[in-house]
Amino acid sequence: MIELGENRYGKSCVRVMRVERESEPHSVQEWNVEVWLRGDFRSCFEDGDNSRILPTDTMKNTVYYLARLSKAEHIEGFATELVTYLLENNLQVEEAGASIAATQWGPLSDGRQMHGSAFIQARNAPDTATVTRRRGEAASVCGGFRDLAILKTANSAFAGFIKDKLTTLQETHDRLLGTVAAGEWKYSLEGVDYKAARHRIMDSLLSTFATHQSQSVQQTLYAMGKAALEAETGIAEIHLSMPNKHCNLVDLSPFGLDNPNRIFVPTDEPHGSIEACVRRAN
Amino acid sequence: MIELGENRYGKSCVRVMRVERESEPHSVQEWNVEVWLRGDFRSCFEDGDNSRILPTDTMKNTVYYLARLSKAEHIEGFATELVTYLLENNLQVEEAGASIAATQWGPLSDGRQMHGSAFIQARNAPDTATVTRRRGEAASVCGGFRDLAILKTANSAFAGFIKDKLTTLQETHDRLLGTVAAGEWKYSLEGVDYKAARHRIMDSLLSTFATHQSQSVQQTLYAMGKAALEAETGIAEIHLSMPNKHCNLVDLSPFGLDNPNRIFVPTDEPHGSIEACVRRAN
Amino acid sequence: MIELGENRYGKSCVRVMRVERESEPHSVQEWNVEVWLRGDFRSCFEDGDNSRILPTDTMKNTVYYLARLSKAEHIEGFATELVTYLLENNLQVEEAGASIAATQWGPLSDGRQMHGSAFIQARNAPDTATVTRRRGEAASVCGGFRDLAILKTANSAFAGFIKDKLTTLQETHDRLLGTVAAGEWKYSLEGVDYKAARHRIMDSLLSTFATHQSQSVQQTLYAMGKAALEAETGIAEIHLSMPNKHCNLVDLSPFGLDNPNRIFVPTDEPHGSIEACVRRAN
Amino acid sequence: MIELGENRYGKSCVRVMRVERESEPHSVQEWNVEVWLRGDFRSCFEDGDNSRILPTDTMKNTVYYLARLSKAEHIEGFATELVTYLLENNLQVEEAGASIAATQWGPLSDGRQMHGSAFIQARNAPDTATVTRRRGEAASVCGGFRDLAILKTANSAFAGFIKDKLTTLQETHDRLLGTVAAGEWKYSLEGVDYKAARHRIMDSLLSTFATHQSQSVQQTLYAMGKAALEAETGIAEIHLSMPNKHCNLVDLSPFGLDNPNRIFVPTDEPHGSIEACVRRAN
C-alpha cells in the first residue's frame, strides 16, 4: 500500500513593491513573498479532484490584494495578515505559512542632501520573516536575515583542536574571520514591537561579532546568539548559520617576501559550515 | 538561562574529481561533497574549548583521502564510507552526515565515434545522495536528484479548483506543464544495488511524467512517486518537489493573430511550489 | 561641449517558447531573445523627445508576433527575420540587432521508448545566434554556443613556458584539461544551411578537442578553430573562448598515499582565460 | 589559408584581500582581479611552442606579489602598477591589461560605536577599474562601477513615443523608474586624484538621477553622463548602461480595489536595455 505523506503547496517568488508617496520622503518596501498551505489534499494528489485546491495563482493575487489593504509596516506583520487571511477564507486548510524577504532600499543621498523620491539598494542582506499558523492556534512568528557578509580582522584564533593523521591545518592565534551569516529568531510573545526587536537583535549580534575574543566560529556564534537573547526578551530562541569563508594567507616566501597577515586569498569553496540554535533553557 | 540547542558543523563544497585511466574509456566522477558532525560540542560553543573539535579542514582532507582509497562506484557508497570513517575515528561524535552531488559527465562523442579520454557535461541535473549515521545504528541512505528540467506539451489540465473573489485564473484542459524537479528517496534495506535502483526509479519517474493524464501538478507528482515505489521495492519513501514553472500563453489578439497553444512565455517568477512525500503505508 | 557618442537601446531577456503539436513528436523551441536598435536618437537623449523612439515594449511584442508568423526553424533565421522587420518598419533606425540563446530541449526517453509530447532539458549549453543589419546592407549572421563544459583526461601537456622569479607552476606532460567553452562564428555567405553548418562546426570542434595532442589551451583552441573553418566553408572566422578550469592534483603524501593522477580538485577561481579568433587569411 | 586573428590570454577571478592593521581602524581592500596579455603568440597557438608564454599561474602570482609591495590606495593605481610590471618584465608582450572589481567593505558599526577591526559588506555594487597599456604608450585608465540598484518614485514619464500596430504600452506621466546601473569613465589626464574624481563622478550621477525630470531612461542617462563630465574635468567620456527594470502596476480592479501607484510588481525579465556613451566633443 502506498500513501501520501507530508505535503504542502503554494506560490514562491511573488514579488511586490509598496510605495507610499503621500509625503516626502516617499517610502518603498520591496518584498519577495512565498506562501503555502497544508491540509488534507489527498483527493487532489490521489484522484485528481481539485475541488479543495485554492490555486497558487489566487494565492499570488492574495498577496497583491492584501498589500494594498494592509497597514503593516514590517514583514512580520504582513506575513501574519497573509496566513490569517488564508486560514479564515479557506476552511479546507489546516495550516498556512508565509515567508518574506525584504530588499534593503535606503534613501539616496548624494553627499550633500537626501532626496525624498530616490532610493538606493543598501546592503545585499535581506531582512526575512516566516510566519506559520495552524487553525485554532496563534501564529508562530520568526524574524531573521540572510546573506550578511561580515569580517573580523582581529581577535580570532583557532587552536587546541584534535590532531590526527589527516590533519594538515596549523594552529593560529591571529586569523581573519569572515562569514556570510544568516539568522532566524522565534518570537515567544504576541504584540512584540517587531521593528524595535529586530533593531536590538541585530545590534547585539553585530556588536558581539565585532568585539568577541574568538576561539572558534562556534564560540563566536554562541556568544552572538546569547547576546541577542539577552538583548531582546521577546524571543525564545535564535538559529544562526555562519559559514567560515576562509581567507587563506598567501605564501610569498618563494618570491622573497614576508607576509605578516597582509595579503590573503578569500575563497568560497570549500567553506566551513557552522550552525546552531541558542535558546532559553526551560 | 540560555543554552545551546541543535547544532552541527562541517565542511561544504568540497569538490573532488576521481579519474580512472587504467583502460579506455577512462572514467570521471566529479563530486561536490558536504560533510558534517553532530555531538556534544557544548564546551566548544560555550567555553571556547576546541579539544573535541575535528577541524573542518581535516574533514576536507578526509574526503580526499577516502576518495583515493575507496572502491565505491556510486555516491551512496562513498557517502556511507565517509560517515562510517568519521564515526569510527571520532569517538566524541554522535552522528555524521555526508551529502554528495555528482556532476553528469558523459563520454564525448562527435557523431562518428566515442572518444575514450574526452568528456562532455550532460544535463545540468546532478545525482545526489545523503547519508547520515548515528553511533551504533545503521546508516540512513538516501538517493536523489535535483535541477531536472522537464516539460509536457500534452495531457495536462487544471480545472475544477476553488473560485473566490480573488480568482482570476481560467480553467484549462490543455496547458504546458514544465518543472525543474528535485527528488529524494530513502532506502529501506542495506545491500541495495544503488545504481540499478536509481535507474529504475528515474525511469519510472520520467515515464510517468511523460504519459500521465495530469489534472494537476499534485496528481502527477503523486503518480510519479507511486510509480517509483512500485518500480523499486528497496525504497520506503520518496519526496518530490515540482515547482510549476508557468508557461503563459501570449495574447496575440491585439495584433490580429490567433494563438492556438503555439507561442508561450516561460517564466521563473512567481512559480507554483508543490512538494510531497509518497510512502509505503505501514 | 558635451555630446552623445555610441548608443543603442532595446529589450533583453524576451523569453518565448514555440510549440508545434500538429504531429507527434511535438517540437519545442525555447528562446531567450535580445533585440536592439541603433540610429540617430539624439533628440531623445538630449531633449526628451520620444517621437523617434519605438518603445522596448513594442520590440518585445514584435518578438511574440513574429514567433507566431515565422516559419524559421533555427535561431539564425528567426533573428534575421526580426532585424529585417524592425528595419523595414522603422525608417528612423539605422541598424537593428538580435541575439538569441536557445535552450536545449530534447525528447524525453525513459529507456524503453521516446515520448512524443514530453521533453527534457539536455545539456546546459545553449546554441546562440547574433544577427545585425544596417539599412541597405545584407545581414551579418553569426552562430555560436556557450557554457559547453568539456574535459580531456589524456593528451594534454603544458611545458616549455617562461620561468621567472615569480614562477611556481611545475611543468607537466600529463594533466587534465577542462573548460567551459564559448564560440561564435560568422557566416560569409547568404543562403547557408545553418543547421547543417552548425552540426559540422560542432562536430569538428568536439572531435578536435577530444583527439588533439595539446601543448597548451592556446594550441588546442587554434586547432579547434582551424578544424571548424576546414569543415564548414560557409564561415569566415570563428572566435573561441576557453577558460582553463584548473583541476589541481591533490597532494596526498601527508597521508602516506600516492596520487598518480587519480584525485583532483576542480576549481572555478582563479581560472585561465584564453580567447582567440581564427580566420581565413585574405 | 587559415590564420590567427585577435587573441589574448590571462588569468581571471584572482581574488586578493589586503589588510592593514598597523593602526585602528584597520583597513580592508578586497579585489577580484583579471589580468591579460596581447602580443605575437602565434608560435604558441599554431605550433605548440610555449617559449613566449608567461603562464597564467605566474600572472596570478604577480597579483599577490605586487599586492604586498604596492602602496596603491585605489584600484586604478594598482591596476596601473600591474600592467606596467607585466610590460616591463615581458618583452614579448605588446599590451597588458588589468581589470579590478572592489568589494565594498565598510566599518561595522552597531549603532553605538564603530569597531576598528570589524567590517560589513556595504552595497553589492563594486567599484571597478580597467587599465590597458601598450608598449611605449601611456596607460589607458578607466574607472567605473556596476550592479548599482537605484530607483525613482517620482519625476519619471514616458510618452510621445511611436505607436504602431504592435503597440500595447500605455503612455505614462508618472511611473517608477528602477535600474541596476553600470558605468565606466575614461581618464584623459595622468596624475588624476582617482579617489576624489570617483567621488565627484558618483555624486553627480546619483544627484542627477534623483532630481532629473525624466522623459525616458535615455534622457536621464544622458543627463547623468553630462553631469559627470561637468563635475570631473579629468575624464573624457563616460559609458552608462541603465537596464529598465520594469515595475508593473498591479491591476487590482478585479478585486474591487483601486491602485493609485501604490502596489507594483518588480520584474527582471524582460527588461529594457539602454546604454550610451557621453563625451566631450572635439
Side-chain angles (χ1 to χ4, degrees):
Chain A
M1 268 292 291
I2 288 167
E3 67 179 10
L4 183 67
E6 276 285 296
N7 64 86
R8 70 182 230 185
Y9 81 99
K11 203 76 160 190
S12 298
C13 297
V14 181
R15 294 175 64 180
V16 62
M17 187 179 275
R18 292 171 86 201
V19 181
E20 298 282 349
R21 313 196 299 177
E22 280 167 25
S23 58
E24 290 233 340
H26 294 177
S27 84
V28 169
Q29 294 169 300
E30 182 180 344
W31 296 338
N32 194 315
V33 182
E34 182 176 10
V35 57
W36 65 90
L37 304 177
R38 294 180 195 270
D40 178 3
F41 298 116
R42 261 177 302 179
S43 59
C44 172
F45 279 94
E46 298 183 6
D47 308 323
D49 167 10
N50 295 329
S51 64
R52 294 166 63 85
I53 296 295
L54 183 75
T56 66
D57 189 78
T58 307
M59 296 187 208
K60 174 200 70 181
N61 288 346
T62 307
V63 174
Y64 301 151
Y65 173 78
L66 287 180
R68 176 74 182 97
L69 293 180
S70 173
K71 306 288 185 211
E73 293 188 352
H74 34 64
I75 51 180
E76 291 87 349
F78 185 69
T80 304
E81 291 179 16
L82 255 177
V83 300
T84 302
Y85 181 94
L86 287 166
L87 274 182
E88 286 179 357
N89 288 277
N90 288 279
L91 296 180
Q92 81 284 10
V93 168
E94 289 166 21
E95 181 184 299
S99 193
I100 305 180
T103 300
Q104 303 288 297
W105 287 104
L108 196 158
S109 155
D110 60 9
R112 285 182 303 271
Q113 58 171 313
M114 208 245 277
H115 299 286
S117 60
F119 298 85
I120 188 162
Q121 196 174 315
R123 79 182 50 110
N124 196 30
D127 289 345
T128 62
T130 298
V131 176
T132 55
R133 184 166 206 166
R134 292 185 64 81
R135 187 168 301 287
E137 300 183 7
S140 160
V141 180
C142 294
F145 64 91
R146 63 166 191 252
D147 301 333
L148 186 72
I150 44 180
L151 174 74
K152 280 168 78 77
T153 52
N155 308 318
S156 172
F158 187 54
F161 46 75
I162 293 171
K163 281 90 183 175
D164 66 14
K165 71 172 182 179
L166 298 181
T167 306
T168 52
L169 186 72
Q170 299 295 309
E171 299 204 332
T172 174
H173 295 278
D174 187 10
R175 64 171 184 178
L176 300 196
L177 193 164
T179 187
V180 179
E184 190 172 63
W185 51 87
K186 186 170 176 181
Y187 290 100
S188 49
L189 307 168
E190 290 192 66
V192 175
D193 178 341
Y194 295 119
K195 189 176 169 185
R198 178 180 292 276
H199 197 70
R200 280 190 291 268
I201 293 166
M202 293 308 295
D203 249 25
S204 59
L205 291 173
L206 291 176
S207 171
T208 305
F209 176 81
T211 56
H212 189 244
Q213 298 291 328
S214 174
Q215 303 303 316
S216 66
V217 175
Q218 284 90 330
Q219 192 202 17
T220 300
L221 182 155
Y222 182 78
M224 291 165 65
K226 188 161 179 283
L229 287 160
E230 288 167 350
E232 173 50 50
T233 56
I235 62 172
E237 62 182 46
I238 181 166
H239 181 275
L240 293 169
S241 164
M242 290 174 57
N244 192 347
K245 297 283 194 149
H246 309 290
C247 291
N248 299 322
L249 192 69
V250 181
D251 178 9
L252 296 173
S253 63
F255 320 135
L257 296 178
D258 66 348
N259 188 4
N261 272 348
R262 298 289 291 275
I263 307 298
F264 296 85
V265 173
T267 61
D268 285 327
E269 53 181 35
H271 63 81
S273 294
I274 292 90
E275 50 183 305
C277 180
V278 187
R279 64 190 180 200
R280 296 188 204 284
N282 292 322
Chain B
M1 267 292 291
I2 287 167
E3 66 178 12
L4 182 67
E6 275 286 295
N7 64 86
R8 70 181 230 185
Y9 81 98
K11 201 78 161 188
S12 297
C13 297
V14 181
R15 294 176 63 181
V16 62
M17 186 179 275
R18 290 171 87 199
V19 181
E20 298 280 350
R21 312 197 298 176
E22 279 167 26
S23 58
E24 289 232 341
H26 293 177
S27 85
V28 169
Q29 293 169 301
E30 182 180 344
W31 297 338
N32 193 315
V33 182
E34 181 177 11
V35 57
W36 65 88
L37 304 177
R38 293 181 196 269
D40 178 4
F41 298 117
R42 261 178 302 179
S43 59
C44 172
F45 279 94
E46 298 183 6
D47 308 323
D49 167 12
N50 295 329
S51 64
R52 293 167 63 86
I53 295 296
L54 184 74
T56 65
D57 188 79
T58 307
M59 295 187 209
K60 176 200 70 181
N61 288 346
T62 307
V63 173
Y64 300 151
Y65 173 78
L66 288 180
R68 176 72 182 99
L69 293 179
S70 173
K71 305 288 185 212
E73 292 188 353
H74 34 62
I75 51 181
E76 290 87 349
F78 185 68
T80 304
E81 291 180 15
L82 255 179
V83 300
T84 302
Y85 182 93
L86 287 166
L87 274 182
E88 286 179 356
N89 288 276
N90 289 280
L91 297 180
Q92 80 283 12
V93 168
E94 288 166 21
E95 181 183 299
S99 193
I100 305 180
T103 300
Q104 304 287 298
W105 287 103
L108 196 158
S109 155
D110 61 9
R112 286 182 302 273
Q113 58 171 316
M114 208 246 277
H115 300 286
S117 59
F119 297 85
I120 188 163
Q121 196 174 315
R123 80 180 50 111
N124 196 29
D127 289 345
T128 61
T130 298
V131 176
T132 54
R133 184 166 205 167
R134 292 185 63 80
R135 188 167 300 286
E137 298 183 6
S140 162
V141 180
C142 293
F145 63 92
R146 62 166 193 253
D147 301 332
L148 187 72
I150 46 181
L151 175 72
K152 279 169 79 78
T153 52
N155 308 320
S156 173
F158 187 55
F161 47 75
I162 293 170
K163 282 90 183 174
D164 65 14
K165 73 171 181 179
L166 298 180
T167 306
T168 53
L169 186 72
Q170 298 295 309
E171 300 204 332
T172 175
H173 296 277
D174 186 11
R175 64 172 183 177
L176 300 195
L177 193 163
T179 187
V180 179
E184 189 171 64
W185 51 88
K186 186 171 175 180
Y187 289 101
S188 49
L189 307 168
E190 290 191 68
V192 174
D193 178 342
Y194 295 118
K195 189 176 169 186
R198 179 180 292 275
H199 197 70
R200 280 191 290 269
I201 292 165
M202 293 307 296
D203 249 24
S204 60
L205 291 174
L206 291 176
S207 170
T208 304
F209 177 80
T211 57
H212 189 245
Q213 298 291 328
S214 175
Q215 303 304 315
S216 66
V217 175
Q218 285 90 329
Q219 191 201 17
T220 300
L221 181 156
Y222 182 78
M224 291 166 66
K226 188 162 179 283
L229 287 160
E230 288 167 351
E232 173 51 50
T233 56
I235 62 172
E237 62 182 46
I238 181 166
H239 181 275
L240 293 169
S241 165
M242 290 174 56
N244 193 346
K245 297 282 195 151
H246 309 290
C247 292
N248 299 322
L249 193 69
V250 181
D251 178 9
L252 297 172
S253 64
F255 320 134
L257 296 178
D258 66 348
N259 188 5
N261 273 348
R262 297 289 290 276
I263 307 298
F264 296 85
V265 173
T267 61
D268 285 327
E269 53 181 37
H271 62 82
S273 294
I274 292 90
E275 49 184 306
C277 179
V278 187
R279 64 191 180 199
R280 296 188 203 286
N282 292 321
Chain C
M1 268 292 291
I2 288 167
E3 66 178 13
L4 182 67
E6 276 285 296
N7 64 86
R8 69 181 230 186
Y9 81 99
K11 202 78 160 189
S12 298
C13 297
V14 182
R15 295 176 64 179
V16 62
M17 187 179 273
R18 291 171 86 200
V19 181
E20 297 282 351
R21 312 197 297 177
E22 279 167 27
S23 58
E24 290 231 340
H26 293 176
S27 86
V28 169
Q29 294 169 300
E30 182 180 344
W31 298 337
N32 193 314
V33 182
E34 181 177 11
V35 58
W36 66 89
L37 304 177
R38 292 180 197 270
D40 179 4
F41 298 117
R42 261 177 302 179
S43 60
C44 172
F45 280 94
E46 298 183 6
D47 308 323
D49 167 11
N50 295 329
S51 64
R52 293 166 63 85
I53 296 295
L54 184 76
T56 66
D57 189 77
T58 307
M59 295 186 208
K60 175 200 70 181
N61 288 345
T62 308
V63 173
Y64 301 151
Y65 173 78
L66 288 180
R68 176 72 182 97
L69 293 179
S70 173
K71 305 289 185 211
E73 292 187 353
H74 33 64
I75 52 180
E76 290 87 350
F78 185 69
T80 304
E81 291 179 16
L82 255 178
V83 299
T84 302
Y85 181 94
L86 288 166
L87 274 181
E88 286 179 356
N89 289 277
N90 289 279
L91 297 179
Q92 80 284 9
V93 168
E94 288 165 22
E95 182 184 299
S99 193
I100 305 180
T103 300
Q104 303 288 296
W105 287 104
L108 196 159
S109 154
D110 61 10
R112 286 181 303 270
Q113 59 171 314
M114 208 245 278
H115 299 286
S117 60
F119 298 84
I120 187 163
Q121 196 174 315
R123 80 180 50 111
N124 195 30
D127 289 344
T128 62
T130 298
V131 175
T132 56
R133 185 165 206 167
R134 292 185 64 81
R135 188 166 302 285
E137 299 182 7
S140 162
V141 180
C142 294
F145 64 91
R146 61 165 193 253
D147 301 332
L148 186 73
I150 46 181
L151 175 73
K152 279 168 79 77
T153 51
N155 308 319
S156 174
F158 188 53
F161 46 75
I162 294 170
K163 282 89 183 177
D164 65 15
K165 72 171 182 180
L166 298 181
T167 305
T168 53
L169 187 71
Q170 299 294 309
E171 299 204 332
T172 174
H173 295 278
D174 186 11
R175 64 172 184 178
L176 299 195
L177 194 164
T179 188
V180 179
E184 190 172 63
W185 51 87
K186 187 170 174 179
Y187 290 101
S188 50
L189 307 167
E190 290 191 67
V192 175
D193 178 342
Y194 295 118
K195 188 175 170 187
R198 178 179 292 275
H199 197 69
R200 280 191 290 269
I201 292 165
M202 293 308 295
D203 249 25
S204 60
L205 290 174
L206 292 176
S207 171
T208 304
F209 176 81
T211 56
H212 189 245
Q213 298 291 328
S214 175
Q215 302 304 316
S216 66
V217 175
Q218 284 91 329
Q219 191 202 17
T220 300
L221 181 156
Y222 182 78
M224 291 165 65
K226 189 163 179 283
L229 287 161
E230 287 167 351
E232 173 51 50
T233 57
I235 62 172
E237 63 182 47
I238 181 166
H239 181 276
L240 294 169
S241 164
M242 290 174 55
N244 192 346
K245 297 282 194 151
H246 309 291
C247 291
N248 299 322
L249 192 69
V250 181
D251 179 10
L252 297 173
S253 64
F255 320 135
L257 296 178
D258 66 348
N259 188 5
N261 274 346
R262 298 288 291 276
I263 306 298
F264 297 85
V265 174
T267 61
D268 285 327
E269 53 181 36
H271 63 81
S273 294
I274 291 90
E275 51 183 305
C277 180
V278 186
R279 64 192 181 199
R280 297 189 203 284
N282 292 321
Chain D
M1 268 291 292
I2 288 167
E3 65 178 13
L4 182 67
E6 275 285 296
N7 64 86
R8 69 180 229 185
Y9 81 98
K11 202 77 161 189
S12 297
C13 297
V14 181
R15 295 176 63 180
V16 62
M17 186 179 274
R18 290 171 88 200
V19 181
E20 298 280 350
R21 314 196 298 177
E22 281 168 24
S23 57
E24 290 229 342
H26 293 178
S27 86
V28 169
Q29 292 168 302
E30 182 180 344
W31 297 338
N32 194 314
V33 182
E34 181 177 11
V35 57
W36 66 90
L37 304 177
R38 293 180 196 270
D40 179 4
F41 298 116
R42 262 178 301 180
S43 58
C44 172
F45 280 94
E46 299 182 6
D47 308 324
D49 167 11
N50 295 329
S51 63
R52 292 166 64 85
I53 295 296
L54 184 75
T56 65
D57 188 78
T58 307
M59 295 187 210
K60 175 200 70 182
N61 288 346
T62 308
V63 173
Y64 300 152
Y65 173 78
L66 288 180
R68 176 72 181 97
L69 293 180
S70 174
K71 306 287 186 212
E73 293 188 352
H74 33 64
I75 52 180
E76 291 87 348
F78 185 68
T80 304
E81 291 179 15
L82 255 178
V83 300
T84 302
Y85 181 94
L86 288 166
L87 274 182
E88 287 179 355
N89 288 275
N90 289 279
L91 297 179
Q92 80 283 10
V93 168
E94 288 166 21
E95 182 184 300
S99 194
I100 305 180
T103 300
Q104 304 288 296
W105 287 104
L108 196 159
S109 154
D110 61 10
R112 286 181 302 271
Q113 58 171 315
M114 208 246 277
H115 300 285
S117 59
F119 297 85
I120 187 163
Q121 196 174 316
R123 80 181 50 110
N124 196 30
D127 289 344
T128 61
T130 298
V131 175
T132 55
R133 184 166 207 167
R134 292 186 63 81
R135 188 168 300 287
E137 298 183 7
S140 163
V141 180
C142 294
F145 64 91
R146 61 166 193 252
D147 301 333
L148 187 72
I150 46 181
L151 175 73
K152 279 169 78 78
T153 52
N155 308 318
S156 173
F158 188 53
F161 47 74
I162 293 171
K163 282 90 185 175
D164 66 14
K165 72 171 182 180
L166 298 181
T167 306
T168 52
L169 187 71
Q170 298 295 308
E171 299 205 333
T172 176
H173 296 278
D174 187 11
R175 63 171 182 177
L176 299 196
L177 193 165
T179 187
V180 179
E184 189 171 63
W185 51 86
K186 186 171 175 179
Y187 289 101
S188 50
L189 306 168
E190 291 192 66
V192 175
D193 178 341
Y194 294 119
K195 188 175 169 186
R198 178 179 291 275
H199 197 71
R200 280 191 291 269
I201 292 165
M202 293 307 296
D203 249 25
S204 59
L205 291 174
L206 292 176
S207 170
T208 305
F209 177 81
T211 57
H212 189 243
Q213 297 292 326
S214 175
Q215 302 304 317
S216 66
V217 175
Q218 285 90 329
Q219 191 202 17
T220 299
L221 181 156
Y222 182 78
M224 291 166 66
K226 189 162 178 283
L229 287 161
E230 288 166 351
E232 173 51 51
T233 56
I235 63 171
E237 62 182 48
I238 181 166
H239 181 275
L240 293 169
S241 165
M242 290 174 57
N244 192 347
K245 297 282 194 150
H246 308 291
C247 291
N248 299 323
L249 192 69
V250 181
D251 178 9
L252 297 172
S253 63
F255 321 133
L257 297 177
D258 66 348
N259 188 5
N261 274 347
R262 297 290 291 275
I263 308 297
F264 297 85
V265 173
T267 61
D268 285 327
E269 54 181 34
H271 62 82
S273 294
I274 292 90
E275 50 183 305
C277 180
V278 187
R279 64 192 179 198
R280 296 189 202 285
N282 293 321

